[in-house]
Amino acid sequence: MKIRIEERNYEGTGTEIMDQLRMAAFDPTEYPDTESYIWQLRANFIRMTEMECVLPDRGVEAQARTMFAALAKIGALEVLENG
């Protein structure tokens, strides 16, 4: 998978990219793992857009990809490769 946020590209699995974003956060220790970071992004997404964002129960990778798809729909990022 490959995404672009502003002028920066991220590449890897959905989980790996989410972890890169988590580590780049202001205080990465605020989120003990990638899944907690995804759920925080989801909460922010819902608060900002007033749109629902249902994350799957089948694992962190599926949650990451679902979150990226939702963020792409509102123009917050661009999915360059979804392989």
Side-chain angles (χ1 to χ4, degrees):
M1 174 168 227
K2 187 174 183 180
I3 67 167
R4 176 178 292 143
I5 301 174
E6 295 178 357
E7 299 298 318
R8 184 159 182 203
N9 292 341
Y10 297 87
E11 195 167 349
T13 66
T15 304
E16 290 169 343
I17 295 170
M18 277 295 182
D19 200 46
Q20 291 172 45
L21 295 173
R22 179 177 70 91
M23 295 310 290
F26 177 71
D27 181 7
T29 62
E30 182 177 353
Y31 311 104
D33 56 32
T34 304
E35 187 172 18
S36 65
Y37 180 70
I38 293 169
W39 283 92
Q40 180 60 40
L41 283 178
R42 176 189 176 270
N44 290 342
F45 175 89
I46 292 169
R47 199 172 15 262
M48 282 181 5
T49 65
E50 298 181 356
M51 297 168 57
E52 188 54 47
C53 181
V54 178
L55 295 178
D57 292 331
R58 63 182 193 269
V60 176
E61 182 65 22
Q63 292 172 355
R65 288 179 176 269
T66 300
M67 196 71 244
F68 287 137
L71 291 167
K73 283 183 185 177
I74 64 166
L77 60 83
E78 181 181 359
V79 177
L80 303 174
E81 291 178 20
N82 199 8

